[in-house]
Amino acid sequence: MKTKGFIGLGIMGFSMAGHISKVHPTFVYNRSHSKSHHWTDTYTGNVAESPEDLGISCEEIFICVGDDDDVREVIAGNKGLINTMQPGGIIVDHTTTSAVLSFEMHQLCLKKGVHYLDAPVSGGQAGADNGALTVMVGGDKIAYEQVTETINLYAKFSKLMGPSGSGQLTKMVNQICIAGLVQGLAEGINFSEKAGLDTKDVIEVISKGAAQSWQMENRWETMSLGDYAHGFAVDHMRKDLKIAIEEAEKKGADIEITKLIDGFYKDIQDLGGNRWDTSSLLKRLQRHD
Ligand code: NAP
C-alpha cells in the first residue's frame, strides 16, 4: 500500500484523512499541532513536521485547508510541498478556492512534473464523517483516474468536470444554488412559527412535495432548535460567495439572489456568527424577536 499524505485536519479533513488511514499508511499535517495529535489519538498514522516533509514521503497528497492563501502556503510557501515532491506526484486539493488559484497551482506544479487537481467537495461534515461526499474535479484525466480509488474512500460520487479550474467552477454553481435555497427554508420556518403552525407537521407534509431539499431534510430541525453547530461555517460561505460573485462578474452571469444572501451572511458575521453554520440565516430573521 502506498503512503498517502493529508494536509488540513479541520471539520472536513479530519475524518477524510481518517478514512484513508484505514486502508493506506498515512502522514498528516495541520497548521495547529493540537489537531494533528488529536488525529493520531483517533486514527493510525504519522504526523509530518511540515508540508515539505510530507512531500518527501508521499506521492499522492490530499489537501483540505481554508482558502486560496492557505493552499498557496502549503504548496508554494517556504516549507511548501513543491520543494520536495517528485515528478509524477499528484496533489488533490479539496479546498474550495477561486478558479484562478487552481490554474496558478496547476501551472506551478506542472513545472515540476507534479499534477494538481482542484477537487472541491459537497456533503458537509456528515458527508465527510460517513464517507459520502461528492467531489467535483478539474485537471488531468490520467491523474484523476490514479487517485479515484483513494477519493472513493470518503466519497460516494466523484466526476472529472474538465480542465484545471472546472472543479471549482462547478462548486461555485453548487454554492449559488444553495444560497437562495437556505434563505427560502429559513423564511418558511420563520413564517410557520409566526403563523402558529406546528413546524414539525409542516415539514412532514411539505417535504413530501416540491419544496423538499437536502437542506430541509437535514437542517430544519436543528434550525428550529437554534442549533447552528453543523459544520459549514458562515465565514467559509462568505469566502465561497465572494469567489462566485467575482467569477460571475467576469463571465457576465447575473446572480442577484446570491449577492443579496451574501449581504445577509455579513449580517450574521456582525451578530458574531462567523463559525455558526450556514443555516443560521433563520437566526438573522429572528434577531429582533
Ligand atoms: P476548517 O474546519 O476551518 O479546517 C481547515 C483546516 O485547515 C484547519 O484545521 C486549519 O488548521 C488547516 N489549515 C489552514 N491553513 C493551513 C496551513 N497553511 N497549513 C496547514 N493547515 C492549515 O474548515 P473545513 O470546514 O474543514 O473546510 C475546509 C475546506 O472545505 C474549506 O475550503 C471549505 O470551504 C470547504 N468545505 C467545507 C464544508 C463543511 O461543511 N465544513 C463543506 C464543503 C466544503 P488550524 O487548526 O491551524 O486552523
Side-chain angles (χ1 to χ4, degrees):
M1 280 295 157
K2 283 189 180 165
T3 304
K4 312 286 177 186
F6 203 104
I7 301 180
L9 302 172
I11 286 171
M12 301 298 282
F14 192 87
S15 46
M16 290 162 81
H19 288 297
I20 297 178
S21 72
K22 290 174 187 161
V23 178
H24 297 276
T26 306
F27 273 74
V28 296
Y29 174 74
N30 191 75
R31 182 174 52 197
S32 57
H33 297 305
S34 56
K35 282 188 194 162
S36 305
H37 297 305
H38 177 39
W39 190 90
T40 48
D41 288 344
T42 314
Y43 300 105
T44 306
N46 297 296
V47 177
E49 289 296 315
S50 65
E52 194 174 57
D53 189 21
L54 260 190
I56 296 170
S57 328
C58 314
E59 281 169 36
E60 291 173 15
I61 297 178
F62 300 77
I63 302 175
C64 193
V65 291
D67 59 19
D68 284 26
D69 286 343
D70 296 332
V71 172
R72 258 190 213 102
E73 189 182 332
V74 300
I75 296 179
N78 277 346
K79 296 203 166 229
L81 290 173
I82 206 66
N83 295 340
T84 47
M85 279 186 82
Q86 295 300 307
I90 303 175
I91 297 174
V92 182
D93 184 10
H94 291 304
T95 316
T96 306
T97 70
S98 67
V100 174
L101 183 276
S102 304
F103 194 66
E104 182 188 318
M105 292 299 113
H106 168 70
Q107 294 291 101
L108 179 83
C109 291
L110 261 191
K111 285 188 196 148
K112 281 211 72 179
V114 170
H115 292 288
Y116 173 87
L117 299 172
D118 50 296
V121 300
S122 170
Q125 183 175 12
D129 291 349
N130 300 326
L133 292 170
T134 300
V135 188
M136 36 218 117
V137 187
D140 180 77
K141 185 165 183 276
I142 295 174
Y144 168 66
E145 284 169 353
Q146 207 170 312
V147 293
T148 307
E149 209 181 303
T150 309
I151 289 176
N152 286 345
L153 297 172
Y154 46 80
K156 64 172 185 217
F157 184 72
S158 75
K159 188 173 172 70
L160 184 66
M161 305 306 298
S164 180
S166 307
Q168 296 299 349
L169 291 173
T170 307
K171 176 73 183 185
M172 290 173 212
V173 178
N174 187 75
Q175 301 307 69
I176 290 166
C177 292
I178 285 178
L181 197 148
V182 181
Q183 175 68 12
L185 178 60
E187 290 181 13
I189 294 173
N190 192 46
F191 179 96
S192 165
E193 285 170 7
K194 294 228 183 301
L197 293 165
D198 182 334
T199 302
K200 187 169 187 285
D201 290 346
V202 171
I203 297 290
E204 186 188 358
V205 172
I206 69 170
S207 65
K208 304 219 171 6
Q212 198 274 344
S213 67
W214 184 99
Q215 297 290 338
M216 181 177 285
E217 201 172 301
N218 292 281
R219 289 287 177 270
W220 82 266
E221 197 164 9
T222 48
M223 288 167 82
S224 291
L225 295 168
D227 169 9
Y228 299 115
H230 293 274
F232 192 54
V234 165
D235 277 353
H236 280 323
M237 187 59 161
R238 285 217 74 209
K239 176 243 323 171
D240 292 5
L241 295 181
K242 180 171 183 282
I243 288 168
I245 291 166
E246 283 171 4
E247 197 65 45
E249 269 160 22
K250 282 190 222 158
K251 303 217 168 344
D254 276 344
I255 51 168
E256 294 162 63
I257 296 289
T258 308
K259 286 183 188 168
L260 193 65
I261 309 300
D262 183 48
F264 293 172
Y265 280 124
K266 173 162 188 329
D267 293 342
I268 294 174
Q269 289 174 321
D270 293 343
L271 290 170
N274 302 59
R275 291 298 291 187
W276 297 348
D277 75 60
T278 45
S279 69
S280 55
L281 284 170
L282 177 59
K283 180 97 170 170
R284 175 183 169 276
L285 295 174
Q286 297 167 330
R287 67 195 183 286
H288 301 305
D289 288 356

